[in-house]
C-alpha cells in the first residue's frame, strides 16, 4: 500500500522559496509517474508538476519556470523546489504516486489516492 508523507511547507514572503519533500513507501520509483498537486482555499485540486519513468518533467503553466520537480531514488523521496513564490501559490500541497495521464497536459493528470496529510504553503504579499 502506498504511503506518502509531505513536509517542507511554511510561510514566506512573495518572491521567496521553499523546498517540499515527500517520502514515499509502497511504491517502486520508476514504475510509474509521480507528481505534486495542490488545493488552494475554495479551489479545486490541480496538478502542479509531474515526473515520468524516463525522468521527463512537466509543469502546470502557472508554475513553469519557477518550480522544479525531482526525485531521489535512494531516499524514496520526491521533491518540489519552489522559487519566486506568489500569493496565488498559497495552497495545501500533496504528492502523488502513481499519477495517471501524466504524459498529457497538466489539467488531464489524475490521482485518486491514497493521500498524505499534505503540507501547507502560505505566501504573503
Amino acid at each position: 500500500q502506498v504511503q506518502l508523507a509531505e513536509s517542507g511547507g511554511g510561510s514566506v514572503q512573495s518572491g521567496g522559496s521553499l523546498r517540499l519533500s515527500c517520502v514515499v513507501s509502497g511504491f517502486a520509483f520508476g514504475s510509474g509517474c509521480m507528481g505534486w498537486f495542490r488545493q488552494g482555499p475554495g479551489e479545486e485540486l490541480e496538478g502542479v508538476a509531474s515526473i515520468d519513468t524516463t525522468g521527463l518533467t512537466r509543469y502546470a503553466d502557472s508554475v513553469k519556470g519557477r518550480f522544479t520537480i525531482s526525485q531521489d531514488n535512494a531516499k524514496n523521496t520526491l521533491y518540489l523546489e519552489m522559487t519566486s513564490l506568489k500569493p496565488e501559490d498559497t495552497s495545501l500541497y500533496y504528492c502523488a504516486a502513481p499519477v495517471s495521464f501524466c504524459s498529457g497536459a497538466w489539467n488531464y493528470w489524475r490521482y485518486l489516492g491514497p493521500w498524505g496529510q499534505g503540507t501547507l504553503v502560505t505566501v504573503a504579499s
Side-chain angles (χ1 to χ4, degrees), residues 36-40 44-48 62-63 66-67 88-94:
W36 288 91
F37 287 74
R38 69 183 181 185
Q39 187 166 25
E44 294 185 354
L45 191 72
E46 65 175 3
V48 176
S62 59
V63 307
R66 300 188 297 122
F67 290 12
E88 51 264 44
D89 294 318
T90 295
S91 290
L92 193 57
Y93 285 74
Y94 300 93

Side-chain angles (χ1 to χ4, degrees), residues 63-125:
V63 307
K64 203 171 294 182
R66 300 188 297 122
F67 290 12
T68 303
I69 187 172
S70 63
Q71 62 188 66
D72 185 330
N73 293 359
K75 294 182 178 180
N76 285 350
T77 301
L78 186 69
Y79 299 101
L80 186 68
E81 189 79 38
M82 306 186 296
T83 64
S84 301
L85 283 162
K86 305 175 181 180
E88 51 264 44
D89 294 318
T90 295
S91 290
L92 193 57
Y93 285 74
Y94 300 93
C95 61
V99 175
S100 300
F101 309 113
C102 75
S103 61
W106 65 271
N107 50 320
Y108 286 94
W109 303 343
R110 292 294 180 266
Y111 181 68
L112 299 180
W115 298 96
Q117 80 284 356
T119 187
L120 181 63
V121 172
T122 303
V123 184
S125 57

